[in-house]
Amino acid sequence: ATVSGGNGAESFVWEYDDPVTGWTVVGGNFNMYTTDMLPVGIHDYRVTVSQNDGCSTTSGIFSVTVVPDPIITVTTTEPNICEGGEVTFTATIAGGTGTDTTYQWQFYNAGAMTWIDIPGATSSTYTEQFLGSGTYQYHVNVILDSGCEATSNDVTINVEVDPDVLVTADDAEICEGGTSTLTAAVTGGNGGETYVWEYDDPVNGWTVVGDNSNMYTTDMLSIGTHDYRVTVSQNEGCSTTSDIFTVTVVADPIVVASPATSFICEGGEVTFSSSITGGTGTDTSYQWQLFNTSNSMWEDITGATDATYTTTFNVAGSYDYQVVISMDAGCDAISNAVTVDVQLDPDVTVTADDAE
């Protein structure tokens, strides 16, 4: 209470408008009064000042408004990250009163089982970088006006080790003009994956060639070695690049077809064989073909799918054969054409120098 005017030394009587008993003396003999701890609501006070005889006055009513304690909510940019990732915590205040707000962020020391102040973490936001995997807890203490203090919810951050990625191919060694499909398999880390495939271009170096899928199919490739890699990203900090995966491209195979004999007679049998040089792969398929002179087209021979083919010729004529092979991706080849001439069976006439 501040007194002006009147005459003589002051004495003070403080009163509180109690909801039950009405105006009640709560303090005196001093121009200052500290209230009790107050519940939510409006609380009215007044003071009566007395000086010399006849010098007395009562102040106007002074209301103290008490509001609920503030509620502090902490949110985070991402609760699940990987080593080296960064997280920003944000504190939001609801309720309370006052403009001179102070913040103090804390982390939970599991070993000591206590909350510890983070030096310098005194703003409404706090950013932390995590270098090791594990589980971490944070909250913030907030102070507004007198009595307006609150502690936020606890926020847990899960930090995982970075993911591993392994690249495989449906065919790592192919022939010129073939393609290979690469597949990335991810283990560990945290969150959904995004993919960026790169090719080590002989001119431009590492160049992005595909994304948004764990699979990538190469272009048709020329002879030589071709290097690829993939970068996988998940949640904050969860990123890794695979080892280099090399696709080797070799020259197309050469297949040579040869008959056991090129000249036979009607009813004779011929075995055709094939030999392959170059190319790559072990799962080789064969298809022998016969040239149809009536439509000038090569036609597959049903069931002739081995490295050798045997057939019997019952009609005289000239017959052309070839074989088509397939090995790994792009490793296809057609043999030379081989001709078998089928003659009529010989006629024999017997004569004698003296038949009688």
Side-chain angles (χ1 to χ4, degrees):
T2 301
V3 180
S4 60
N7 201 318
E10 294 92 4
S11 65
F12 300 86
V13 176
W14 292 90
E15 293 177 286
Y16 168 60
D17 189 6
D18 187 280
V20 177
T21 59
W23 287 104
T24 303
V25 174
V26 292
N29 299 323
F30 198 61
N31 70 328
M32 299 178 67
Y33 169 70
T34 299
T35 70
D36 293 334
M37 290 187 293
L38 301 173
V40 173
I42 299 175
H43 301 269
D44 294 335
Y45 293 85
R46 68 187 180 187
V47 63
T48 297
V49 178
S50 299
Q51 297 172 325
N52 292 341
D53 186 31
C55 296
S56 178
T57 190
T58 299
S59 71
I61 294 173
F62 187 90
S63 297
V64 176
T65 301
V66 181
V67 298
D69 286 331
I71 297 174
I72 314 301
T73 303
V74 170
T75 57
T76 180
T77 50
E78 179 55 67
N80 301 299
I81 64 171
C82 287
E83 292 176 334
E86 190 175 88
V87 171
T88 295
F89 303 90
T90 301
T92 302
I93 301 173
T97 183
T99 57
D100 188 16
T101 306
T102 63
Y103 299 86
Q104 178 59 64
W105 291 90
Q106 296 181 314
F107 76 93
Y108 186 69
N109 186 322
M113 298 181 67
T114 187
W115 289 92
I116 297 177
D117 289 350
I118 302 171
T122 56
S123 300
S124 61
T125 62
Y126 170 64
T127 299
E128 178 75 278
Q129 186 176 48
F130 296 86
L131 300 179
S133 60
T135 300
Y136 303 84
Q137 284 186 304
Y138 293 80
H139 68 204
V140 64
N141 294 323
V142 173
I143 300 176
L144 288 91
D145 281 350
S146 177
C148 295
E149 301 178 8
T151 298
S152 74
N153 55 303
D154 299 337
V155 175
T156 300
I157 304 298
N158 297 309
V159 183
E160 304 286 350
V161 295
D162 287 328
D164 287 326
V165 57
L166 177 66
V167 175
T168 57
D170 62 345
D171 213 330
E173 189 174 28
I174 61 177
C175 285
E176 185 176 14
T179 64
S180 180
T181 297
L182 311 180
T183 301
V186 180
T187 56
N190 211 317
E193 294 88 14
T194 61
Y195 302 84
V196 176
W197 291 92
E198 294 177 287
Y199 168 61
D200 190 6
D201 187 277
V203 176
N204 301 314
W206 288 105
T207 304
V208 174
V209 291
D211 57 13
N212 297 327
S213 175
N214 71 322
M215 300 178 70
Y216 170 70
T217 299
T218 70
D219 294 335
M220 290 188 293
L221 300 174
S222 58
I223 294 173
T225 56
H226 301 265
D227 292 337
Y228 294 85
R229 68 186 183 190
V230 63
T231 297
V232 177
S233 299
Q234 299 171 322
N235 290 345
E236 171 68 31
C238 301
S239 180
T240 190
T241 299
S242 71
D243 293 334
I244 292 172
F245 189 90
T246 300
V247 177
T248 301
V249 182
V250 300
D252 287 331
I254 296 173
V255 55
V256 176
S258 55
T261 181
S262 297
F263 298 94
I264 62 170
C265 288
E266 289 177 331
E269 184 181 89
V270 173
T271 296
F272 301 89
S273 60
S274 60
S275 61
I276 301 171
T277 57
T280 182
T282 56
D283 188 16
T284 304
S285 65
Y286 299 84
Q287 178 60 63
W288 289 91
Q289 295 179 323
L290 171 65
F291 187 72
N292 187 333
T293 55
S294 63
N295 60 14
S296 298
M297 295 182 64
W298 289 97
E299 296 178 348
D300 291 347
I301 302 170
T302 302
T305 55
D306 294 322
T308 61
Y309 169 61
T310 299
T311 188
T312 300
F313 295 88
N314 295 316
V315 179
S318 182
Y319 300 86
D320 291 329
Y321 291 83
Q322 68 180 18
V323 64
V324 178
I325 67 161
S326 294
M327 300 163 75
D328 281 349
C331 298
D332 301 328
I334 299 175
S335 74
N336 55 303
V338 291
T339 302
V340 175
D341 289 318
V342 181
Q343 305 293 324
L344 295 171
D345 285 332
D347 288 329
V348 57
T349 301
V350 178
T351 60
D353 59 351
D354 197 340
E356 188 174 4

